[in-house]
Amino acid sequence: MGVHAPEMPILVDDETGVWTTDALPMLYVPRHFFVNNHMAIEEEMGAERYAQILYKAGYKSAYYWCEKEAQAHGIEGDAVFEHYMNRLSQRGWGIFTIEHLNIAEGTARVRLDNSAFVYQYGKVNRKVDYMFTGWFAGAIDQIAQSLGYSVQTQAEQVQSAAEDGCDYGIFEVSPVA
């Protein structure tokens, strides 16, 4: 297995110690720390309820991220979503591959390999990557709105590598009916 240095800019403020990448402040924490906290909350409230809460928070965060990154890099449309998937992959969440993207129609399909959650959970025969789901709808909606499209979307995880018989995750975005 080869390794390489991070492919994104990381700057640390000399006075505050705040890390930034592109236009946003960042945190750098061990994967096990983050996922163990995630698992503890899930255990207390149940995966279904926790997934609902994370969907809303993730949607809002992705919307904000795409807005700020588009401004910082002077990009729009598909390029914003491509940049988002690239940065998620570079930050260690997993490898996100866009299999389909149509902002105007509000549709997308994203493949996830090497999920940070699957590494921690293992094969538990259920979807464990649900934290990402709202991210896709929030991103598509922000980009669509910035282009003047009226579409509003929803996202769903349709498979996870943590499920028996699956080697990767799939997320689908579609317009709200």
Side-chain angles (χ1 to χ4, degrees):
M1 173 175 79
V3 297
H4 62 275
E7 297 172 353
M8 62 187 153
I10 300 170
L11 300 174
V12 182
D13 185 286
D14 291 335
E15 292 181 31
T16 65
V18 172
W19 289 39
T20 59
T21 292
D22 299 327
L24 298 169
M26 306 295 286
L27 298 174
Y28 182 61
V29 300
R31 180 177 63 203
H32 75 273
F33 171 81
F34 183 89
V35 178
N36 284 341
N37 279 277
H38 175 89
M39 293 169 94
I41 296 167
E42 181 184 78
E43 186 177 314
E44 285 296 313
M45 68 173 36
E48 187 174 321
R49 178 66 184 127
Y50 191 37
Q52 293 169 350
I53 293 167
L54 288 176
Y55 187 97
K56 290 176 188 175
Y59 179 99
K60 182 179 179 179
S61 295
Y63 194 101
Y64 179 81
W65 191 96
C66 288
E67 182 176 52
K68 296 302 178 191
E69 288 293 297
Q71 291 169 0
H73 295 285
I75 56 178
E76 66 179 29
D78 290 6
V80 177
F81 195 76
E82 291 163 358
H83 177 61
Y84 189 37
M85 295 302 103
N86 186 48
R87 284 294 194 244
L88 291 176
S89 298
Q90 290 173 332
R91 292 193 330 240
W93 292 109
I95 304 298
F96 294 84
T97 304
I98 302 167
E99 293 188 344
H100 167 78
L101 178 62
N102 187 318
I103 302 293
E105 292 180 5
T107 59
R109 180 178 167 99
V110 176
R111 175 180 169 146
L112 172 59
D113 290 281
N114 305 306
S115 165
F117 290 100
V118 174
Y119 278 133
Q120 199 76 12
Y121 278 86
K123 284 284 189 188
V124 292
N125 205 27
R126 67 181 180 92
K127 294 170 184 68
V128 299
D129 318 290
Y130 52 82
M131 181 174 153
F132 304 130
T133 310
W135 299 7
F136 303 115
I140 297 293
D141 285 0
Q142 190 285 320
I143 298 163
Q145 182 183 16
S146 75
L147 296 172
Y149 302 138
S150 61
V151 66
Q152 176 137 19
T153 65
Q154 59 193 358
E156 175 184 15
Q157 182 176 18
V158 296
Q159 84 178 39
S160 170
E163 294 177 293
D164 292 340
C166 298
D167 294 328
Y168 52 87
I170 293 287
F171 297 84
E172 293 182 347
V173 180
S174 61
V176 173

